[in-house]
Structure formats: C-alpha cells, structure tokens
Amino acid sequence: MTAKQGRGVFVREPQRLFRFGSDRYSIANRETGLTPFRLEAKKQGKVPRIDVLSITREVPPSDVAERLQVPADSESVVHRENHYFADDEPVQIVSTYLRWEEAEGTLLMQAKSGPNGIYGRLEELGHVMTRVRDEISARMPSPEEARVLDLLPGMPVLEVLHTSLDQNSEPFEVSRYVHRADQTGLLYELPVS
C-alpha cells in the first residue's frame, strides 16, 4: 500500500517489467529501430517514457573508468543521466558513460540520438556490440534514488552494471541501471555447453 498525503491509501499492484537480459541487444531487436527499454516495455503492454536529465562531460566513477578503460582522474567520459518510466510509473535510473573522445561533437551529446538510440550511433563509430557483461546486485537505494523511484521505506533496488563489448572485445559503453526491485524482473535464457 502507498499513502499519498491528502489523497488516501492505494494498493500498488506488483506488475513487473522484465529486462530481457540475453535478448535485449540482439540484432533482430536492434533492427526494429527501438531502444531496448522501449521494445521491452512495448512487448509487455506498457507505455515507455525516457526523460533525459543531463548530458555532461565528467570524471568517471572508478568502477566505470576501470571497465571503460579511461582515466579516472580527468573528464574522460560523457555521462548521460536518464529516468525511465513504464505507464508513467518510475522504474529505473540509468547512468550511461561513453568515452569523451568518441562522443564529442556527435549525436551522442543530444537527448534524441536517432534510430536505435545511442547503440545506433556507436555502431556508426565502429563499435558493433558482440558481447555484454552485466554485474547484478541488490542494495538499498540512496535517498535521491528512493525519491526519484518513489520507493517506500525499506524497499531495495537492483543494480545492473552493464558493459558493452565490441567486435574486438573492447569495452565501449558502461551503464549503471538502478531498478525498482518491486517492479523489475530479470529474464535470461542462455545456451548451456
């Protein structure tokens, strides 16, 4: 239940939005022209919305610098901060980091980066995604994350630290996804060899 000052108490139906981990970056899905989140929401009967809060040149967090292989002591990345909604409910905060030297002066610096989102622009720069690495953990949210995601006290978040690797096994994008744990599911189907 959720209490809203002056409006009453409401029961929040837990309808999870699944992140299709092993399928979300497939060639077939990229050919739709939709970003992974928009396609996942659409497949699950939800209306997606992405609010781009900022696009700034920054000093990267140390874990991002390590994965992206950039200096951790200079403004070596572009940080795109987005808030994601499904049916107007906040579901995730996404912090995407790209190399400054590649993003400077491109559509990657714009809120609307064109068909297939930033992955389309990164492919144009020569980075064809062939592998991803997702590091998943559960934790308690920061006060700002709890506010943005409209979390009840004591509700955890799922964090996915995502690294995109190209045809040369080089990392070219790192994103930190902070999901509402009560409205998110992770679905992976992987071959077993």
Side-chain angles (χ1 to χ4, degrees), residues 6-193:
R7 292 178 38 203
V9 177
F10 303 90
V11 175
R12 197 182 262 179
E13 294 294 324
Q15 296 180 356
R16 296 187 186 276
L17 179 65
F18 280 87
R19 175 186 169 97
F20 302 135
S22 57
D23 189 46
R24 72 189 326 248
Y25 304 106
S26 71
I27 291 171
N29 283 343
R30 285 190 307 224
E31 289 174 351
T32 68
L34 296 174
T35 63
F37 175 77
R38 289 186 191 284
L39 186 59
E40 287 168 341
K42 184 178 171 184
K43 284 182 176 180
Q44 295 173 70
K46 297 184 182 291
V47 177
R49 186 178 95 225
I50 302 171
D51 293 349
V52 179
L53 267 60
S54 63
I55 303 172
T56 55
R57 184 177 183 182
E58 295 181 5
V59 174
S62 60
D63 59 347
V64 170
E66 177 185 338
R67 285 158 183 80
L68 199 52
Q69 299 174 1
V70 296
D73 58 355
S74 66
E75 293 182 339
S76 58
V77 297
V78 169
H79 173 204
R80 297 175 58 99
E81 181 78 16
N82 299 331
H83 293 174
Y84 287 63
F85 300 81
D87 295 338
D88 287 324
E89 287 287 323
V91 291
Q92 60 183 314
I93 300 167
V94 181
S95 297
T96 297
Y97 300 90
L98 309 166
R99 288 186 186 91
W100 170 253
E101 64 191 29
E102 291 183 323
E104 181 183 18
T106 71
L107 286 174
L108 293 167
M109 299 299 295
Q110 303 297 317
K112 295 197 181 288
S113 56
N116 294 310
I118 65 167
Y119 295 113
R121 305 303 64 77
L122 288 162
E123 277 196 16
E124 291 168 359
L125 292 173
H127 296 294
V128 177
M129 186 186 309
T130 59
R131 215 175 68 207
V132 299
R133 180 183 311 119
D134 285 351
E135 302 167 62
I136 303 164
S137 59
R139 61 173 174 80
M140 296 309 293
S142 71
E144 179 63 8
E145 290 167 341
R147 184 192 67 74
V148 169
L149 294 172
D150 194 24
L151 298 176
L152 296 173
M155 188 178 294
V157 292
L158 291 176
E159 180 177 297
V160 178
L161 186 57
H162 165 88
T163 304
S164 295
L165 299 143
D166 68 14
Q167 67 277 9
N168 300 315
S169 296
E170 294 294 325
F172 63 92
E173 173 257 344
V174 174
S175 290
R176 186 182 317 277
Y177 296 85
V178 179
H179 298 269
R180 290 182 60 127
D182 67 327
Q183 291 188 2
T184 301
L186 304 174
L187 177 62
Y188 291 86
E189 291 184 26
L190 305 169
V192 177
S193 53

